[in-house]
Amino acid sequence: TPGAAGGQRIFGMMLIGNSLLGSGGSDFDQGGVFPVAFDATGTSTLTALAGTEEGRINQLVASADDQLYFGREFTGPSAELVRYSLPGPGVATSVSGTGVFQAAHVLGADGSLYSVNVNGELIARATVDLAELWKLPNLGTNTGASPTLDCARSEDGTPRGANLPGVLYVAAGNKMHAFVVDSPRMPKEPNSWPKYQHDAHNTGNPATPITNCP
């Protein structure tokens, strides 16, 4: 049971390290990231990771070096984007005023993080410090579907080769958008969780290769 006795709503899950992580919250000022050890048994009340409590977190992604990336809503109401270090644990860096993120972020192999907020803003940031690289405003609302990132492909669907830009797919404003981006693909490390449901085929299986891109 995450949080208090009544529990919290859980929106996102991932397998990382020796734990299952769940992110959620029943309101903007409650929730967090809740870890469950793989060898846990029975039913217990789970405590949010330090620095994530008292804030709703919809979705989260992770890199191979155990860095979590997620949006957080908290008292104000306010919103921020957070890079969180495991197994520390602790907030490594954060940036405020980002808008609310319902969809998961996407990690690119070149160290870029792509996010779309509920205001229809698509933003690329550097993972190291969350500095903004570029932003496209006004894509439209209805941004609950998580973006995905793929490599450049030929008309028959086969990868066109290495050292080419990638394609970021974003659903917003009741349209599907495709953007050419610097990231050639998602990270290929098996212990990363760079997007919603882990891989390009949304299997939710950590043993599935991230992508068949070169």
Side-chain angles (χ1 to χ4, degrees):
T1 304
Q8 299 285 343
R9 297 179 63 188
I10 294 297
F11 302 108
M13 292 190 295
M14 68 166 58
L15 301 169
I16 187 169
N18 295 316
S19 298
L20 166 69
L21 298 184
S23 58
S26 297
D27 207 341
F28 68 83
D29 59 350
Q30 48 185 283
V33 177
F34 302 91
V36 184
F38 287 163
D39 58 358
T41 59
T43 302
S44 60
T45 299
L46 303 177
T47 302
L49 293 174
T52 72
E53 63 273 64
E54 300 180 355
R56 180 165 56 195
I57 298 170
N58 287 296
Q59 297 282 355
L60 69 171
V61 297
S63 54
D65 56 353
D66 293 342
Q67 300 294 300
L68 303 181
Y69 300 87
F70 53 82
R72 178 172 176 263
E73 301 172 73
F74 55 96
T75 303
S78 300
E80 64 180 0
L81 178 63
V82 177
R83 178 167 66 86
Y84 192 92
S85 296
L86 293 174
V91 174
T93 187
S94 64
V95 57
S96 60
T98 58
V100 175
F101 301 102
Q102 289 183 341
H105 312 276
V106 180
L107 285 169
D110 66 341
S112 298
L113 180 75
Y114 302 96
S115 312
V116 58
N117 62 29
V118 296
N119 299 320
E121 295 177 320
L122 174 63
I123 305 173
R125 297 182 182 274
T127 54
V128 62
D129 57 3
L130 301 183
E132 184 177 310
L133 302 175
W134 52 261
K135 176 169 65 176
L136 294 177
N138 304 322
L139 292 184
T141 55
N142 298 331
T143 59
S146 299
T148 190
L149 179 63
D150 197 15
C151 54
R153 295 182 181 273
S154 302
E155 292 183 0
D156 61 359
T158 58
R160 293 181 56 191
N163 302 318
L164 291 173
V167 182
L168 179 70
Y169 295 96
V170 180
N174 300 324
K175 296 180 181 180
M176 178 66 74
H177 305 267
F179 300 101
V180 177
V181 294
D182 290 334
S183 300
R185 52 174 168 74
M186 292 186 291
K188 301 177 76 170
E189 294 84 353
N191 57 331
S192 63
W193 201 284
K195 66 177 293 289
Y196 175 73
Q197 287 291 74
H198 175 70
D199 62 279
H201 298 288
N202 292 334
T203 67
N205 184 347
T208 300
I210 294 298
T211 177
N212 60 351
C213 295

